[in-house]
Amino acid sequence: MILDSLLSWFSVDMGIDLGTCNTLVCVRGEGIVLNEPSVVAVHKGTNKVLNSGQAVGWSAKEMLGKTPGSITAIRPLKDGVISDFEITEAMLQYFIRKVNGRSRLIGPRVVIAVPSGITTVEKQAVETSAINAGARLVWTLEEPIAAAIGAGLPFAEPTASMIVDIGGGTTEVAIMSLADIATCESVRVAGDDLDEAIISHMKRSYNLMIGEQTAERIKIQIGSAAPVGEETSIEARGRDMISGLPRKTVITSEEIREALQEPVNAIVEAVLRTLERAEPELAADLVDNGITLAGGGALLRGLDVVLQNATGMEVRLAEDPLTCVAAGTAIFLENIDEWKDTLESSMDH
């Protein structure tokens, strides 16, 4: 007990939602303390990270699509998993140091939320990256469990809870009961695919090349999965694919909704497949308990309506969809001593 008190004085316990688009960090007893884009700026061709003050997070995201020839701004996670090990490590190191503080003598204990569908090798890569970035001990927690805890669902009780967590790279659909996952599906269709659908639509319909950030802005401002409220329009700017010159055009919310049909349908199908695999008693519970949406992708207008029509069940948005997973790791950290034995953990370093 005294040793634990000493360790907490010199170190912190932190939970990390290592997302394709954003990384959120929470500290035991303090809640969410960091929310930054999962973007790193590197010297082109070397994978050497720029001066750390401007190389990671918000300042690096601002460079996306705008860097000179010598610099590349990249996202080291794709579809919820590490696509560039070295750069992910540098990013984690930056976030852990920023939160843990350089003055602390001991590395933090870390819980990292990971997609339920990742392989053992991919999970090991996450743990190794965190250890190399300065963590003393690492546990991985499946994202649907973290999202359910963060959304306040009674996932530990003998009743079914269903969560649909739509992130940047993956959509996690899970039915849970008695603090474990009864059935789940992880599909690599999520927020990034919505952006890609908008980029493709602009190329196909207008011969206009737009960047990721422009596509994201269009999605947030006028994107929808079903007709909700008044139809609106927005001005999109990019590069003309024929003349090569800058150009702008006006697009409507109706055509963007049409462009988003394919990825939205893929998410709906994943939900239906998961429901079809549910045990009859759990399915019976869900008639009353409904479906909870979490993750940034859940903010797409009308998505709850589409899912409600497809399933015939009540669909509600979590209180703060963007921070559900991170908040879940924070609550998990509060109870880590009673729950940690049930988790896979890395070696103590």
Side-chain angles (χ1 to χ4, degrees), residues 70-289:
S70 59
I71 298 170
T72 312
I74 58 173
R75 289 162 59 178
L77 288 107
K78 185 169 172 54
D79 299 332
V81 296
I82 294 172
S83 60
D84 193 307
F85 188 85
E86 198 180 331
I87 293 174
T88 301
E89 208 170 283
M91 183 176 80
L92 271 174
Q93 192 169 47
Y94 171 81
F95 291 144
I96 287 173
R97 278 186 182 164
K98 191 169 181 179
V99 174
N100 198 43
R102 292 176 187 276
S103 59
R104 298 203 189 254
L105 302 177
I106 302 169
R109 296 192 301 176
V110 175
V111 173
I112 301 183
V114 294
S116 58
I118 72 170
T119 65
T120 308
V121 173
E122 288 168 339
K123 192 181 284 188
Q124 189 64 49
V126 171
E127 291 178 356
T128 306
S129 284
I131 290 290
N132 290 344
R136 171 166 55 95
L137 185 63
V138 181
W139 292 278
T140 53
L141 179 66
E142 290 182 319
E143 273 175 22
I145 293 178
I149 297 171
L153 299 184
F155 93 112
E157 293 172 21
T159 184
S161 298
M162 186 166 184
I163 192 100
V164 180
D165 177 25
I166 307 164
T170 59
T171 293
E172 307 279 321
V173 186
I175 297 170
M176 288 159 288
S177 178
L178 294 168
D180 206 353
I181 294 173
T183 181
C184 73
E185 183 160 343
S186 178
V187 291
R188 296 189 176 185
V189 178
D192 284 354
D193 298 271
L194 299 173
D195 296 345
E196 278 300 323
I198 293 170
I199 291 170
S200 298
H201 170 75
M202 297 305 292
K203 283 182 190 172
R204 197 171 51 247
S205 302
Y206 296 98
N207 284 321
L208 191 70
M209 185 85 79
I210 63 169
E212 286 174 27
Q213 296 200 71
T214 301
E216 187 182 24
R217 183 173 58 85
I218 292 169
K219 175 183 72 179
I220 291 167
Q221 291 187 6
I222 65 167
S224 65
V228 281
E230 199 181 328
E231 298 290 353
T232 53
S233 60
I234 191 176
E235 204 169 63
R237 297 177 175 86
R239 191 181 80 231
D240 191 294
M241 291 169 66
I242 298 167
S243 70
L245 298 173
R247 181 163 67 83
K248 63 183 180 182
T249 188
V250 174
I251 49 171
T252 66
S253 52
E254 195 176 356
E255 64 181 293
I256 293 303
R257 182 166 60 252
E258 199 66 40
L260 296 177
Q261 279 304 297
E262 196 178 322
V264 166
N265 287 342
I267 292 168
V268 171
E269 282 161 21
V271 172
L272 293 174
R273 283 195 300 271
T274 307
L275 283 167
E276 283 163 11
R277 293 201 302 270
E279 292 292 331
E281 291 297 338
L282 294 177
D285 288 344
L286 291 174
V287 172
D288 292 329
N289 298 347

Side-chain angles (χ1 to χ4, degrees), residues 323-342:
T323 62
C324 268
V325 173
T329 63
I331 296 165
F332 183 88
L333 282 164
E334 296 298 324
N335 302 280
I336 197 160
D337 294 321
E338 60 183 272
W339 286 348
K340 68 182 179 186
D341 295 335
T342 64

Side-chain angles (χ1 to χ4, degrees), residues 304-322:
D304 54 342
V305 176
V306 171
L307 282 168
Q308 204 154 305
N309 291 341
T311 62
M313 296 164 61
E314 185 193 347
V315 179
R316 71 186 75 84
L317 200 59
E319 198 172 317
D320 192 351
L322 281 165

Side-chain angles (χ1 to χ4, degrees), residues 56-73:
V56 181
W58 287 112
S59 47
K61 185 178 181 180
E62 285 169 13
M63 299 180 194
L64 275 175
K66 299 180 181 179
T67 53
S70 59
I71 298 170
T72 312

